[in-house]
Amino acid sequence: MTSTVPAVTAPVTAPPTALGTARTRVEGREKITGAARYTGDIPLTSLAHGSLVLSTIARGRIRAVDDAAVRAMPGVVAVLHHLNAPRVRGDYPSIMGMAPDPTVRAFQDDRVPHWGWPVALVVAETPEQARAGADALVVAYEAEPHDTDFSGERTDAFALDGVVPATLAKGDEEAELAASAVVVDASYTTPEEHHNPMEPHAATAYWQDGRLEVLDSNQGASWTAEDLAKAFELEPGTVRVRSEHVGGGFGSKSVRVHQIAAVMAATELQRPVRVAMTRRQMFSLAGYRSPTDQRVRLGADPDGRLRVLSHGSVSQTSSVYAFVEPAAAAGRVLYDAAAHRTSAQVVSLDVPTPTSMRAPGMAPGSFALESALDELAERCGLDPIELRLRNEPSAGPLSGLPFAGRNLRACFEEGARRFGWADRDPRPRVRRDGRWLLGTGTAAATFHAFAVPSTAAVTAWADGTFTVRIAAADIGTGARTALQIVAADALRVAPERVQVRIGDSEFGPAWLAGGSAGTSSWAWAITPAAGELRERLALGVDIPADGLTVRSDSTTALAGQEPAERHSYGAQFAEVAVDPGTGEVRVRRMLGMFAAGRIVNPLTARNQLVGGMVWGISMALHEEAVRDVRSGSLVGADLAGYHVASHADVAHIEADWVDDPMPGDPIGIKGVGEIGVVGAAAAIANAVRHATGVRHRRLPIRPDRVLCGESVDGGPAGESLERGLPGESPDA
Amino acid sequence: MITSDPTASQTAGAIILHVNGEKHALTVDHRTTLLDALRERLDLTGTKKGCDHGQCGACTLLVDGRRSLACLQLAVAAEGREITTIEGVGGSGAGQGAGPGSESGGQGELHPVQQAFLEFDGFQCGYCTPGQICSAIAMIEEHAAGWPSAVTDDVHPEAAPQPLTPEEIRERMSGNLCRCGAYMSIVQAVGYAAGARHTHSGPDEGSAA
Ligand code: FES
Ligand code: FES
């Protein structure tokens, strides 16, 4: 890092900007040829395989672990459980000060807090031997009565703050309701949903030269390394985590029992150990989205202007963790009302611990709120888009803060034009195509936009190329490619000259792939480093053999941001066809028009937005984990029993965006990871209502539920249907 | 990679697997699936494990030219079959050079379906991708051979070849889940690659109809 003679290949001419032009993925060729190595694909000499054993009871104590017979099985090298496993801490502050997932404290005591709790790890020479050992291990339990029966009616529900406050309220709800000409008061439920990234969670741990090396599949390498150091009480610099390719995460790929168990076994055996969850194990170990029971009360004047927005949500958590699904939060951004109340409560049950899943809070919350808005529009005789536009707030409904770019109106106007909304006959059950009833629906979407302090290093090499190092994660988002574009733009060179290295905790602290804040947070760090490097090179410095490196930390820059309401927005449109004879619902087409900041790479951003909308179809029609209250376990916990949208479920989805640069952001980024799923299920449910005349307030909209709606009085009968259907909860 | 000797057990057997044109002699535990044999023994990790239960399609590869799930068959039962994995679907070397340090993923020629996945961005995380590509390659052949699907309008044996519409592609590819939801671009990529195949093949080629 000296600066003596002019550089040989300093970049002086700026090529046209790559920002906003479609670019295929940097690692695309590796992924389509099978060369990309995910965690479980990386070979290691003398690797041992760990297989987890999970509890078969939902609450109680472990009486005995009969490990002698298993230890004698061929190839078995260790059996770890609460009587012999290394000690770990689980009481440290993890990301944003929250406690880590409780499965971090696996094998620490004899308590079983839920079905599928990890009770032992069998390590063997081969995967077959480990699995056979795990299958053969006899664990004796002392079962206690359990309670897994979730309901919004439970009297033991309690208010719980999460990353946002449990309750925010203003105005006199009862007085405003009394003054409202039109009132909607309805309950909505969403089921337990599971992330199910295609790549199951896996980690390989080994010790090398006094350092713990962990190959893992996670959403943030530095975060994982920090947590593992805290859990095992190791010096922070002695843990290195690498996570080069990640087969999806959606909120589930944090520090969980697989890394803990792998580290324990690698430490005991002093050889590399890989622990991978099976697909079935993921249903109790990888987190999930809590079921929700929500009540929405809207009161409005005859012209649709809201007097009351009251949205309460009840979700579940485990007996060993306080997690809240903040489903009522969408209303805090979308609409104002004289009386405004949003609240979140939880019920503590003997169930696995839920966690954030793609668009936490907003995905289930928008289903309830945006369905209720649709009901209100009908009662007011107003077009649902017009109703929303009449209720556009000029400042944060509760904060009073200005909006940093709010382009929801533009999304609706452009979306309506492209979708052909103006030709819509609002009457339900009037359009047919053969045996199919057709309907269209719409809904608004929002998701917060933010950036978190991160560090980055950008190095210039003598051959005119550059390397960016940042502990970012590409879980399928296209982050590697987006950051290459961001860096190239700041360096004013062609992207081909920039190599981006991510997924390594050695690169320093950085925000994770989550909260739709990955690209924005990482860009806040990369942009100034690259900019400074460009300026230094412009001065004509010599580039030494080990390169010229500029490091950055965005902490100070981000602290200087003015408070504002920062969010993405979207307008979702869906057209469905419903077969009244079979109850089948098909989504014929969807359009999502988004205001989601400046789009760095349209090719990958569109893919991600459409992917979110596919999640909306999946949530509206398919996904539902069913818990058997007698055993406390899930019924059919695998990809045959838990349906996610497949090829045949996705006919035509289009996602596009309006110009919406984020004020104050160096590049104008907001984030596109989550907004695509928000409002999508509501748009589909609203379309089903339009097609059939039946309002479905309970997800998923299964064929049997559609048929139930059809069977009342030999066909849908408007309001009479809404008082409750056979086999459904009173408010469903 | 395995320190204990599986041959010492009566539950292991010596087999020869034909993978991507090469013969591999190995001794496997009889419980070993073809998927695990490829991944853990032959270091062919392009074939992915998404469920191990035949429910997701991530492990799809070609056995004697037809798509097949590697997690649902035992390695010992795959002896003598011609196995093609994602590493072997392109021209020579496309999937070679694989390794943690390999940036390129090899420089060999890509299969047209692979090329289309790249250009249409037919993936996000990439984990379902080898299975989607292998499935698509075989599916295009199945369709060209006149095999009907659940959405084929005319299933008479004498019916003219039906076009490979997006609806047909979606129906035929539904055994391959993509949790990232890249279905739109996968179908575009497959449709494009199938169309290109049509243009390149002669009139009497590739169709059994
Ligand atoms: S891994 Fe074989 S079908 Fe899922
Ligand atoms: S690309 Fe991630 S599962 Fe298909």
Side-chain angles (χ1 to χ4, degrees):
Chain A
M1 274 197 226
T2 47
S3 44
T4 43
V5 283
V8 200
T9 51
V12 282
T13 45
T17 176
L19 257 170
T21 56
R23 296 186 67 85
T24 59
R25 290 170 205 256
V26 180
E27 77 289 0
R29 192 179 166 98
E30 282 176 84
K31 285 184 174 170
I32 51 147
T33 56
R37 296 269 183 173
Y38 298 74
T39 301
D41 304 340
I42 300 169
L44 286 168
T45 313
S46 75
L47 178 68
H49 300 262
S51 189
L52 288 161
V53 179
L54 309 190
S55 74
T56 52
I57 62 165
R59 184 185 175 94
R61 289 185 184 277
I62 302 165
R63 246 189 317 112
V65 183
D66 183 11
D67 59 6
V70 172
R71 284 178 195 279
M73 287 175 70
V76 172
V77 292
V79 182
L80 295 178
H81 47 76
H82 69 287
L83 297 172
N84 64 9
R87 299 295 94 185
V88 287
R89 299 189 70 115
D91 56 354
Y92 58 86
S94 180
I95 198 89
M96 295 168 89
M98 295 189 293
D101 187 83
T103 57
V104 163
R105 289 199 74 257
F107 319 147
Q108 299 300 295
D109 57 42
D110 62 354
R111 293 269 358 147
V112 174
H114 59 74
W115 163 83
W117 173 260
V119 294
L121 179 79
V122 176
V123 189
E125 301 291 348
T126 71
E128 293 81 17
Q129 291 166 338
R131 184 148 178 196
D135 287 348
L137 188 71
V138 176
V139 180
Y141 300 98
E142 198 174 288
E144 295 166 11
H146 64 264
D147 180 0
T148 62
D149 199 7
F150 173 73
S151 150
E153 310 286 300
R154 289 184 63 127
T155 50
D156 54 350
F158 58 95
L160 180 66
D161 289 334
V163 282
V164 293
T167 307
L168 288 179
K170 69 174 183 184
D172 184 338
E173 187 172 332
E174 297 308 323
E176 292 294 336
L177 265 181
S180 296
V182 191
V183 172
V184 169
D185 184 347
S187 291
Y188 305 83
T189 66
T190 62
E192 177 175 327
E193 296 161 350
H194 287 255
H195 309 73
N196 277 312
M198 277 332 287
E199 180 205 18
H201 297 51
T204 305
Y206 57 97
W207 287 88
Q208 192 169 53
D209 307 325
R211 278 166 52 112
L212 177 62
E213 298 275 346
V214 181
L215 307 173
D216 184 34
S217 175
N218 62 52
Q219 294 179 227
S222 332
W223 166 43
T224 303
E226 277 170 40
D227 272 27
L228 289 176
K230 288 177 197 162
F232 287 94
E233 298 187 88
L234 300 167
E235 288 300 316
T238 61
V239 182
R240 182 189 192 188
V241 173
R242 278 173 287 172
S243 183
E244 173 80 38
H245 294 293
V246 182
F250 313 116
S252 73
K253 286 202 172 144
S254 53
V255 177
R256 298 191 164 273
V257 67
H258 62 296
Q259 298 109 328
I260 298 289
V263 172
M264 283 178 174
T267 307
E268 291 287 291
L269 297 167
Q270 287 299 310
R271 64 185 279 193
V273 177
R274 179 193 299 157
V275 177
M277 293 184 197
T278 66
R279 177 61 58 184
R280 281 171 173 265
Q281 289 175 342
M282 289 168 70
F283 280 84
S284 71
L285 298 179
Y288 62 97
R289 192 194 315 273
S290 167
T292 67
D293 194 334
Q294 307 175 53
R295 184 175 178 196
V296 182
R297 294 209 288 181
L298 301 175
D301 289 332
D303 65 357
R305 289 208 167 73
L306 285 171
R307 284 176 167 273
V308 182
L309 189 163
S310 175
H311 186 176
S313 166
V314 184
S315 60
Q316 75 184 25
T317 189
S318 68
S319 64
V320 284
Y321 197 91
F323 181 86
V324 58
E325 178 77 19
R332 295 174 183 177
V333 179
L334 283 175
Y335 311 108
D336 201 357
H340 198 293
R341 181 183 170 81
T342 46
S343 67
Q345 288 184 301
V346 297
V347 181
S348 178
L349 297 169
D350 302 314
V351 293
T353 306
T355 192
S356 293
M357 175 164 149
R358 200 171 195 174
M362 294 296 176
S366 64
F367 164 65
L369 182 63
E370 291 300 299
S371 293
L373 259 288
D374 200 64
E375 300 198 37
L376 182 66
E378 256 185 68
R379 303 255 171 103
C380 295
L382 268 178
D383 179 80
I385 294 177
E386 177 58 26
L387 173 71
R388 288 171 173 89
L389 297 182
R390 283 189 190 177
N391 283 290
E392 267 287 282
S394 52
L398 291 144
S399 67
L401 290 171
F403 286 107
R406 180 178 172 111
N407 285 310
L408 180 57
R409 175 180 291 273
C411 293
F412 269 118
E413 287 171 350
E414 180 59 15
R417 192 185 65 75
R418 291 203 206 173
F419 192 75
W421 187 261
D423 306 331
R424 180 184 192 252
D425 181 340
R427 291 172 302 160
R429 214 178 168 96
V430 292
R431 269 179 71 208
R432 277 187 179 266
D433 174 10
R435 69 177 202 267
W436 298 95
L437 297 167
L438 305 184
T440 52
T442 187
T446 185
F447 200 78
H448 44 254
F450 63 103
V452 183
S454 300
T455 61
V458 185
T459 303
W461 304 103
D463 66 357
T465 64
F466 299 84
T467 302
V468 174
R469 289 182 181 81
I470 184 161
D474 192 332
I475 60 173
T477 55
R480 209 180 263 102
T481 314
L483 297 182
Q484 185 197 46
I485 294 169
V486 164
D489 234 55
L491 289 161
R492 307 224 177 111
V493 301
E496 288 74 16
R497 283 165 68 183
V498 180
Q499 188 204 29
V500 176
R501 296 193 50 202
I502 62 172
D504 188 339
S505 63
E506 292 277 276
F507 301 154
W511 179 243
L512 51 116
S516 290
T519 306
S520 61
S521 301
W522 304 323
W524 268 90
I526 291 171
T527 307
E532 189 186 324
L533 187 60
R534 175 174 55 80
E535 280 168 24
R536 284 211 222 163
L537 292 172
L539 295 175
V541 294
D542 186 25
I543 300 176
D546 62 346
L548 180 63
T549 299
V550 174
R551 291 174 200 283
S552 67
D553 181 339
S554 60
T555 308
T556 317
L558 280 165
Q561 279 203 306
E562 291 292 320
E565 291 276 357
R566 296 185 170 84
H567 311 274
S568 297
Y569 301 92
Q572 301 269 14
F573 296 85
E575 177 175 322
V576 302
V578 182
D579 182 338
T582 64
E584 184 181 6
V585 178
R586 308 284 305 167
V587 178
R588 289 204 167 175
R589 62 186 176 115
M590 284 186 85
L591 168 69
M593 188 58 62
F594 299 97
R598 186 147 174 219
I599 301 302
V600 177
N601 184 356
L603 184 68
T604 53
R606 182 169 281 114
N607 201 339
Q608 217 185 347
L609 288 166
V610 170
M613 295 166 73
V614 169
W615 273 53
I617 294 178
S618 209
M619 175 181 170
L621 304 180
H622 307 299
E623 291 185 42
E624 178 178 36
V626 179
R627 198 166 287 280
D628 169 28
V629 293
R630 282 159 305 173
S631 67
S633 69
L634 288 181
V635 180
D638 57 32
L639 289 172
Y642 184 88
H643 292 185
V644 301
S646 73
H647 271 286
D649 299 309
V650 178
H652 190 266
I653 301 183
E654 191 186 339
D656 210 346
W657 42 84
V658 299
D659 191 35
D660 178 55
M662 169 82 132
D665 183 277
I667 297 169
I669 298 171
K670 280 183 175 173
V672 296
E674 278 146 297
I675 186 86
V677 64
V678 183
I684 292 166
N686 294 341
V688 171
R689 160 71 181 185
H690 186 225
T692 63
V694 180
R695 171 71 59 187
H696 288 269
R697 301 193 182 92
R698 188 178 180 193
L699 293 185
I701 307 173
R702 299 188 315 224
D704 60 318
R705 291 174 177 164
V706 174
L707 283 177
C708 270
E710 292 295 322
S711 70
V712 175
D713 299 332
E719 299 309 294
S720 73
L721 284 168
E722 295 176 14
R723 287 199 293 269
L725 300 169
E728 297 205 338
S729 60
D731 285 314
Chain B
M1 270 177 281
I2 293 173
T3 52
S4 71
D5 179 10
T7 53
S9 160
Q10 296 203 334
T11 59
I15 58 168
I16 294 171
L17 289 180
H18 298 219
V19 188
N20 301 333
E22 279 178 43
K23 286 185 185 170
H24 300 268
L26 68 166
T27 304
V28 292
D29 189 321
H30 290 161
R31 297 168 294 190
T32 306
T33 61
L34 175 57
L35 176 59
D36 283 338
L38 293 169
R39 293 177 49 80
E40 304 294 338
R41 304 295 302 284
L42 303 182
D43 197 31
L44 288 167
T45 55
T47 311
K48 302 301 182 200
K49 184 186 288 188
C51 71
D52 221 14
H53 281 57
Q55 299 170 342
C56 75
C59 65
T60 307
L61 40 60
L62 309 177
V63 176
D64 297 333
R66 290 195 189 162
R67 48 184 171 163
S68 189
L69 298 176
C71 72
L72 285 191
Q73 51 201 309
L74 296 170
V76 289
E79 202 173 17
R81 318 290 296 272
E82 219 35 80
I83 297 159
T84 307
T85 69
I86 188 69
E87 290 94 341
V89 299
S92 63
Q96 307 303 314
S102 160
E103 290 287 331
S104 61
Q107 293 306 321
E109 207 184 306
L110 296 175
H111 187 282
V113 172
Q114 288 176 308
Q115 187 66 42
F117 265 67
L118 191 61
E119 283 165 18
F120 287 87
D121 205 36
F123 55 98
Q124 290 177 33
C125 77
Y127 200 77
C128 73
T129 312
Q132 300 275 2
I133 290 171
C134 288
S135 194
I137 289 170
M139 182 277 288
I140 292 169
E141 297 306 320
E142 289 163 17
H143 172 264
W147 297 15
S149 83
V151 299
T152 305
D153 284 333
D154 190 347
V155 295
H156 289 94
E158 66 276 13
Q162 309 278 306
L164 188 59
T165 60
E167 191 191 13
E168 282 278 5
I169 296 172
R170 292 194 291 265
E171 176 63 27
R172 292 164 187 265
M173 290 294 291
S174 276
N176 292 85
L177 298 177
C178 175
R179 187 52 162 164
C180 295
Y183 297 126
M184 284 294 298
S185 46
I186 294 171
V187 171
Q188 283 172 357
V190 173
Y192 180 83
R197 178 194 180 283
H198 241 62
T199 334
H200 294 312
S201 63
D204 48 5
E205 245 184 76
S207 172

